């Protein structure tokens, strides 16, 4: 129970990687604010399930990560409810796949807002409390696409490269305050985000579903296996531990060897 006295926010945690991170933090004793979209009854089931399974407090914030004021309010409400925000995970993210000449400008704006600017707004709101308490952990879910590119993902790749730069910058600013700032860069993790981009990739590349899985997705990953959400969550827990207190400004790959190639 390494996080027993900690209070965490995990954005985009009604699904996929974020949900696994929220549950892993709760398993270590942290109170958690979950966030994201979805069916209200399903979200309440997840929230209540976390409280029941791990004997912690879990609250839900419906804040839209494309809206600065809602992000600021999410952090302030979490501080008021639990007394602090010790751990912030910027995880909410969406994808859109299209050649640049057809890429809708509003999709570009939405991806930059949700996948990049939301991390800025959340860090900006959470850092003062972390600095005052002399302890904090900020983790962003970046991507192998924070290091390398793939065609047809201009907004996503730009946003994830931005997360890597933002991580380094804020890490330097808070380096003497007991606050670490890192990002995790997974390769392909089997979640709804990956599943949902298959039809568009089929269209963009004129491929079958099996071809997209084997020749596009797993083709990039030398291990030929998807990363699991539990593996990403275990790394997030480690980054919150004392053993990781000298890791800051890092972009840590978990990509089956993708970016080694
Ligand atoms: P997912 O679709 O399963 O989950 C995304 C979460 O973000 C959901 O909870 C969703 O409700 C939430 N969300 C979306 N828009 C939001 C908004 N405007 N406001 C608040 N919440 C919002 O996806 P995932 O695969 O678990 O992705 C999580 C993060 O991991 C993303 O940042 C993604 O880019 C990153 N990532 C995923 C993979 C992968 O292969 N799945 C690889 C590398 C990085």
């Amino acid at each position: 129970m390494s996080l027993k006295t900690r209070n965490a926010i995990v954005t985009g945690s009604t699904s996929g990687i974020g949900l696994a991170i929220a549950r892993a933090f709760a398993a270590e004793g942290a109170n958690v604010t979950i966030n994201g979209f979805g069916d209200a009854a399903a979200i309440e089931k997840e929230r209540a399930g976390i409280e029941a399974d791990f004997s912690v407090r879990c609250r839900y914030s419906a804040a839209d990560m494309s809206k600065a004021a809602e992000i600021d309010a999410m952090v302030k409400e979490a501080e008021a409810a639990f007394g602090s925000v010790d751990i912030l995970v910027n995880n909410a993210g969406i994808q859109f796949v299209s050649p640049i000449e057809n890429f809708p400008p509003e999709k570009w704006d939405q991806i930059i807002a949700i996948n990049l600017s939301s991390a800025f707004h959340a860090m900006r709101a959470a850092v003062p409390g972390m600095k005052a308490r002399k302890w904090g952990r900020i983790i962003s879910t970046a991507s192998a696409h924070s290091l390398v590119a793939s065609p047809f993902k201009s907004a996503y790749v730009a946003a994830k490269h931005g997360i890597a730069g933002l991580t380094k910058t804020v890490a330097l600013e808070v380096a003497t305050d007991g606050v670490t700032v890192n990002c995790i860069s997974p390769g392909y993790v089997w979640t709804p985000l990956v599943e949902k981009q298959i039809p568009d990739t089929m269209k963009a590349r004129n491929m079958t579903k099996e071809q997209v899985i084997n020749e596009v997705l797993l083709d990039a990953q030398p291990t030929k296996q998807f990363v699991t959400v539990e593996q990403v969550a275990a790394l997030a827990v480690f980054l919150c531990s004392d053993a990781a207190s000298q890791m800051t400004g890092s972009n840590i790959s978990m990509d089956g060897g993708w970016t080694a190639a």
Side-chain angles (χ1 to χ4, degrees):
M1 300 288 266
S2 61
L3 303 178
K4 205 156 176 38
T5 59
R6 306 299 184 193
N7 301 310
I9 296 177
V10 184
T11 72
S13 49
T14 53
S15 167
I17 294 169
L19 180 57
I21 292 175
R23 288 185 62 82
F25 285 171
E28 292 294 328
N31 297 318
V32 190
T33 296
I34 58 169
N35 156 261
F37 297 152
D39 172 66
I43 293 171
E44 173 52 23
K45 196 165 166 229
E46 290 295 354
R47 190 205 63 76
I50 288 174
E51 289 199 331
D53 291 348
F54 305 114
S55 303
V56 297
R57 290 162 70 198
C58 181
R59 44 191 299 286
Y60 167 65
S61 164
D64 181 341
M65 291 301 110
S66 67
K67 304 210 162 80
E70 292 188 25
I71 297 166
D72 197 54
M74 172 187 72
V75 173
K76 292 202 164 79
E77 285 161 17
E79 276 176 339
F82 291 154
S84 65
V85 172
D86 307 299
I87 300 167
L88 168 68
V89 179
N90 300 303
N91 171 79
I94 59 166
Q95 177 61 283
F96 191 81
V97 179
S98 165
I100 187 128
E101 63 271 31
N102 300 327
F103 210 100
E106 58 279 11
K107 274 285 165 203
W108 166 273
D109 289 343
Q110 192 190 15
I111 289 179
I112 297 300
I114 296 170
N115 294 21
L116 175 58
S117 302
S118 70
F120 162 77
H121 295 300
M123 289 186 196
R124 188 173 178 279
V127 156
M130 291 178 176
K131 281 171 82 167
R133 288 184 297 274
K134 290 274 167 208
W135 199 93
R137 293 286 188 268
I138 298 173
I139 301 165
S140 299
T141 311
S143 166
H145 284 126
S146 74
L147 297 162
V148 296
S150 298
F152 313 123
K153 296 183 177 177
S154 51
Y156 187 90
V157 172
K160 295 299 185 181
H161 276 64
I163 284 286
L166 177 65
T167 296
K168 290 189 223 176
T169 307
V170 182
L172 297 179
E173 292 182 22
V174 299
T176 57
D177 294 304
V179 181
T180 68
V181 189
N182 295 288
C183 58
I184 298 176
S185 284
Y188 283 105
V189 188
W190 188 254
T191 68
L193 180 140
V194 167
E195 224 175 331
K196 275 188 275 183
Q197 69 186 273
I198 290 175
D200 285 339
T201 310
M202 286 165 66
K203 235 184 287 165
R205 294 185 183 244
N206 195 22
M207 286 179 164
T208 65
K209 182 177 176 184
E210 289 63 39
Q211 281 175 313
V212 171
I213 289 177
N214 294 311
E215 294 173 28
V216 180
L217 304 184
L218 292 182
D219 181 55
Q221 254 163 236
T223 57
K224 301 296 171 206
Q225 290 179 34
F226 286 99
V227 179
T228 69
V229 294
E230 290 79 12
Q231 288 168 337
V232 179
L235 179 53
V237 169
F238 175 72
L239 286 172
C240 295
S241 71
D242 289 341
S245 67
Q246 291 305 313
M247 292 178 73
T248 195
S250 301
N251 183 352
I252 305 147
S253 292
M254 184 181 274
D255 62 8
W258 174 353
T259 54

